[in-house]
Amino acid sequence: MMKVSSDMVALLNEQAADQSALERIQALRTAILGPVVFTTSFGIEDQAITHIIATAGIKIAFATLDTGRMFPQTYEVWAQTEALFGIKVQSFSPQTSAVEALTAAQGVNGFYGSMGARKACCETRKLEPLERALSGAQGWVTGLRADQSDHRQALSFVSFDEERGLVKLNPIFDWTRADAVAFTKANNVPVNSLHAQGFLSIGCAPCTRAVAEGEPERAGRWWWESEAKKECGLHLGPDGRLSRAGVPA
């Protein structure tokens, strides 16, 4: 495997400031010799990135975490996306035995009961499948944007994910939501119909609601919890904080 150096991560991050999203993705693909995975949840940001990767023919694998509790509209846009771009998005689902054990322990909707129960659900349905989705990858592309939340403003274009040992790229980190909307409209990219109904950030159906005018974009995710704790863990480091720009040990 290629040894990722701190200089390489720093250079990619520095160059990204003056690059387009396409150029950022191309730069990562050039720098990383091994597999690169783009994890999509079929939200508007991810749909924009899918268009960029697919139309440019960049060799990056598409993956999604099918938690088993997604909205029907999410499956609809998934099918539309594969048909339009001629791609296959590999699905990673939770282990059946783990879901059965989780349900036995906390009930079918036990995640409403406490933060610990909710995190246990995210661990089973999202985090463990994510580890399989990224297994063997040296690069990871995501749709994170700085203006999605105060916490995400602390991230960067490129960082080193120490826990997973790979380079992580947020190619539209500096886009606004309006940028993503304009891009998908201009390029006729299919988007989740729930966006038009006020669902700005879409996850599992039981844990997502529409947001009211003026509410933060991610206010509809795990709305019964404190605003300061609204991360499922996909982008958290081993210390429980959001993964930030870093260098390999």
Side-chain angles (χ1 to χ4, degrees):
M1 292 176 62
M2 183 188 79
K3 180 176 177 57
V4 178
S5 70
S6 59
D7 289 342
M8 187 267 279
V9 172
L11 179 61
L12 286 173
N13 203 37
E14 180 182 353
Q15 292 175 335
D18 297 317
Q19 292 175 325
S20 66
L22 171 59
E23 291 170 333
R24 293 162 187 163
I25 297 170
Q26 290 173 324
L28 178 74
R29 181 62 278 185
T30 299
I32 301 296
L33 300 181
V36 177
V37 175
F38 168 47
T39 52
T40 175
S41 62
F42 304 101
I44 198 164
E45 298 83 8
D46 291 338
Q47 290 300 95
I49 294 173
T50 294
H51 173 89
I52 293 170
I53 294 173
T55 56
I58 304 172
K59 190 177 180 181
I60 291 178
F62 296 90
T64 193
L65 310 179
D66 185 356
T67 65
R69 304 207 69 171
M70 311 292 280
F71 286 97
Q73 292 89 338
T74 300
Y75 293 109
E76 290 172 5
V77 76
W78 179 351
Q80 292 168 359
T81 300
E82 289 188 326
L84 176 63
F85 296 112
I87 62 174
K88 287 296 182 184
V89 180
Q90 185 173 1
S91 173
F92 291 86
S93 301
Q95 303 284 1
T96 300
S97 59
V99 172
E100 290 173 348
L102 178 76
T103 304
Q106 61 176 230
V108 67
N109 285 336
F111 45 81
Y112 291 128
S114 70
M115 184 174 293
R118 194 272 290 173
K119 288 184 175 181
C121 188
C122 287
E123 172 70 34
T124 298
R125 295 183 180 274
K126 299 179 76 172
L127 302 189
E128 189 280 329
L130 176 68
E131 298 310 312
R132 284 185 277 122
L134 296 177
S135 178
Q138 293 184 22
W140 179 17
V141 179
T142 84
L144 297 185
R145 298 189 348 259
D147 70 346
Q148 287 173 321
S149 69
D150 291 341
H151 291 81
R152 293 188 175 188
Q153 291 177 13
L155 305 180
S156 59
F157 289 109
V158 185
S159 62
F160 183 75
D161 188 317
E162 296 184 15
E163 183 178 12
R164 301 180 177 95
L166 47 71
V167 179
K168 182 177 180 180
L169 170 69
N170 307 313
I172 61 170
F173 181 68
D174 56 347
W175 286 25
T176 63
R177 183 173 187 85
D179 292 331
V181 171
F183 182 93
T184 54
K185 285 184 176 179
N187 292 282
N188 295 314
V189 180
V191 299
N192 196 316
S193 61
L194 289 173
H195 288 317
Q197 301 174 38
F199 291 78
L200 302 187
S201 178
I202 303 170
C204 293
C207 299
T208 307
R209 65 162 173 82
V211 300
E213 185 175 353
E215 281 191 303
E217 189 169 324
R218 287 177 61 82
R221 302 291 293 277
W222 310 293
W223 66 90
W224 63 93
E225 292 184 0
S226 164
E227 187 68 29
K229 303 295 184 180
K230 291 188 176 180
E231 292 290 342
C232 63
L234 297 187
H235 304 288
L236 299 181
D239 60 354
R241 299 178 182 224
L242 277 166
S243 300
R244 303 183 181 182
V247 298

